[in-house]
Amino acid sequence: MSKYLLDKFLYTVDRDPELVERYREDPAGTVEWWEAEMANRILNCASAERSTWLEFTEDERRALREQDHVTLFQMGAHPFLTLTLFIAVFERDHGPLEYQKAYGKAMEHISLPYPDIST
């Protein structure tokens, strides 16, 4: 499992409005495309600079495909990154702050100590 790769997915998708829409409409296809095309790209470097070894586990792929922020948090994904991306994806379907409240309510069963979110 790579918390770094989960956070990188959440970060890069959230910062690209076209990827946000793509992830909203086709989460499975977006995860598959991103892993093949973006996972090994080194951010803020020439596009030819790439790594070769990063990939999601099947559990990570499933959580991302299902847009399951609770499971992602339990895996160690940073909650700020899941919250900001999922606000961009889902907030328009809800009234003011409804999505944020539902996000928190879905995680209220998680108690201390929280999962380690350091990368």
Side-chain angles (χ1 to χ4, degrees):
M1 180 174 72
S2 170
K3 293 184 277 186
Y4 167 77
L5 195 58
L6 286 174
D7 287 348
K8 183 178 176 181
F9 175 89
L10 297 167
Y11 176 85
T12 58
V13 172
D14 187 41
R15 274 135 190 90
D16 184 331
E18 290 178 13
L19 282 179
V20 169
E21 292 308 310
R22 185 174 179 173
Y23 188 51
R24 176 181 165 87
E25 298 300 321
D26 180 16
T30 304
V31 171
E32 181 180 343
W33 170 85
W34 190 92
E35 186 174 14
E37 299 298 324
M38 299 294 292
N40 285 295
R41 185 168 178 219
I42 299 173
L43 299 179
N44 302 317
C45 287
S47 61
E49 295 291 330
R50 300 180 71 80
S51 179
T52 58
W53 60 274
L54 294 171
E55 63 182 28
F56 292 125
T57 66
E58 186 51 42
D59 288 339
E60 291 168 336
R61 281 185 206 98
R62 183 179 314 106
L64 290 168
R65 285 191 306 258
E66 295 173 3
Q67 299 171 329
D68 183 350
H69 72 274
V70 176
T71 298
L72 290 167
F73 176 68
Q74 291 171 320
M75 291 177 166
H78 198 287
F80 178 77
L81 296 173
T82 57
L83 179 61
T84 57
L85 174 57
F86 291 160
I87 286 172
V89 171
F90 297 117
E91 185 176 47
R92 68 189 88 170
D93 300 329
H94 303 277
L97 293 178
E98 283 180 15
Y99 179 75
Q100 291 87 327
K101 291 176 184 176
Y103 177 98
K105 185 151 185 66
M107 296 201 324
E108 69 184 4
H109 68 281
I110 301 171
S111 60
L112 293 172
Y114 293 137
D116 180 9
I117 60 172
S118 62
T119 54

